[in-house]
């Protein structure tokens, strides 16, 4: 579904991604793990075209999207849950969800589609349904992360990309978020998960990539990577939490 071919990208001519190649097959969950500064966020933001690339290509369903603008990438169905959630704190749960629906708002059956998506998201996250009128900024970290995922799902993504959804959350809440991702994958959604929590993210993944200093250092089935002693020792230590 998505093929990244030797992408080099970065900021002000510095290189944060160095000839990175990856493949994400339809209906699979792919995890990209690595320490702080490995280039994981840059990878996600390069796919969504918010960070420009210097060379290489990104193909989505065999179409070259390298020259597209971020809004066009969203239109194709590549939807991101950004690092730090980026919710609208003064807006309610429902208002934040409605913003996620923007991609589908021009459809002729927009009202029915909105009701269908809202129903789906509220069914997946009963906590959001209970708190539909609450302002996002007053919710717990875990609830806010559920809302950020819910907002992305309102757009009916074809590829869902999540940048560090576990950041700053208690282990039990991280488990809940990962359980939801597992459900979404079973429902057939294609997912790119970028995480410092390597062990959990690889356990969940059909396939994984290990990144360090802007490069792919290893790839393979998630369980093979997480049980490889050399990788565990060199790259997959416990994450250091940063905001
Ligand atoms: P983290 O988990 O801390 O977000 P990461 O693996 O996502 O780490 P990136 O945030 O992609 O890593 O950072 C990769 C490199 O790009 C780092 O050297 C970082 O300093 C640099 N970088 C990231 N964002 C910017 C920016 N907006 N401007 C300049 N350099 C940046």
């Amino acid at each position: 579904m998505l093929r990244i071919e030797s992408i080099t990208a970065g900021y002000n001519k510095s290189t944060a991604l160095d000839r990175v190649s990856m493949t994400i097959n339809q209906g699979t969950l792919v995890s990209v793990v690595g320490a702080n500064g490995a280039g994981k966020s840059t990878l996600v933001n390069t796919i969504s075209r918010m960070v420009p690339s210097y060379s290489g290509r990104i193909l989505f369903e065999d179409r070259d999207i390298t020259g597209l603008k971020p809004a066009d990438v969203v239109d194709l169905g590549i939807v991101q849950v950004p690092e730090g959630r980026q919710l609208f704190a003064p807006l309610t749960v429902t208002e934040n969800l409605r913003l996620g629906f923007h991609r589908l708002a021009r459809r002729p059956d927009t009202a029915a589609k909105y009701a269908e998506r809202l129903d789906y998201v509220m069914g997946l996250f009963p906590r959001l349904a209970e708190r539909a009128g609450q302002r996002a900024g007053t919710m717990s970290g875990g609830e806010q992360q559920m809302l950020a995922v819910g907002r992305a799902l309102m757009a009916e993504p074809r590829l869902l990309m999540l940048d560090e959804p576990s950041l700053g959350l208690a282990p039990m809440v991280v488990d809940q978020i990962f359980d939801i991702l597992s459900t979404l994958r079973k429902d057939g959604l294609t997912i790119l998960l970028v995480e410092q929590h390597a062990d959990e993210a690889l356990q969940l993944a059909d396939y994984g990539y290990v990144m360090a200093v802007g490069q792919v250092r290893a790839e393979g089935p998630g369980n093979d990577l997480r049980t490889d002693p050399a990788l565990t020792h060199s790259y997959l230590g416990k994450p250091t939490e940063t905001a």
Side-chain angles (χ1 to χ4, degrees):
M1 180 177 241
L2 188 83
R3 209 161 73 237
I4 301 170
E5 294 178 349
S6 196
I7 274 281
T8 298
Y11 309 89
N12 303 320
K13 298 193 177 129
S14 73
T15 300
L17 292 182
D18 182 11
R19 289 161 293 162
V20 167
S21 294
M22 291 182 184
T23 302
I24 303 177
N25 290 326
Q26 182 149 15
T28 63
L29 191 155
V30 170
S31 290
V32 177
V33 299
N36 272 142
K40 305 182 301 298
S41 296
T42 305
L43 171 73
V44 168
N45 291 327
T46 302
I47 296 169
S48 60
R49 304 316 293 148
M50 290 195 292
V51 171
S53 41
Y54 307 136
S55 61
R57 289 198 311 168
I58 303 173
L59 302 172
F60 181 63
E61 294 176 328
D62 292 328
R63 173 179 173 177
D64 189 345
I65 63 165
T66 323
L68 296 189
K69 296 193 176 67
D72 301 328
V73 173
V74 174
D75 275 346
L76 291 177
I78 302 179
V79 180
Q80 183 170 351
V81 181
E83 187 170 15
R85 298 158 205 146
Q86 313 293 340
L87 295 170
F88 291 88
L91 300 187
T92 66
V93 165
T94 311
E95 287 166 343
N96 271 282
L97 291 176
R98 183 172 269 283
L99 290 171
F101 184 70
H102 179 74
R103 166 171 118 83
L104 306 175
R106 282 167 306 195
R107 289 166 57 116
D109 61 342
T110 181
K113 192 70 188 170
Y114 177 71
E116 177 204 304
R117 293 313 295 167
L118 194 63
D119 231 41
Y120 174 70
V121 169
M122 294 300 201
L124 209 54
F125 299 106
R127 183 66 68 90
L128 297 183
E130 286 162 22
R131 289 164 184 262
Q134 187 171 333
R135 290 181 199 280
T138 64
M139 307 218 299
S140 74
E143 289 163 353
Q144 290 192 20
Q145 190 60 61
M146 288 175 196
L147 180 53
V149 176
R151 180 181 57 183
L153 292 173
M154 287 297 291
E156 200 170 40
R158 301 178 56 84
L159 170 65
L160 179 69
M161 303 195 292
L162 302 104
D163 188 354
E164 212 91 51
S166 71
L167 196 69
L169 301 182
M172 209 175 78
V173 184
V174 174
D175 289 348
Q176 287 171 9
I177 299 285
F178 281 13
D179 281 351
I180 289 288
L181 297 184
S182 171
T183 302
L184 292 173
R185 183 205 161 284
K186 283 189 196 120
D187 284 353
L189 186 61
T190 311
I191 300 174
L192 172 61
L193 170 65
V194 156
E195 260 299 337
Q196 274 194 56
H197 277 93
D199 196 55
E200 295 92 327
L202 290 174
Q203 197 167 6
L204 203 62
D206 298 289
Y207 201 79
Y209 293 88
V210 180
M211 285 187 70
V213 270
Q215 293 180 338
V216 173
R217 293 290 165 86
E219 65 176 276
N223 265 317
D224 292 0
L225 295 178
R226 62 185 273 274
T227 52
D228 182 327
L231 289 178
T232 319
H233 179 72
S234 307
Y235 303 115
L236 307 180
K238 283 271 170 229
T240 49
E241 294 290 351
T242 54

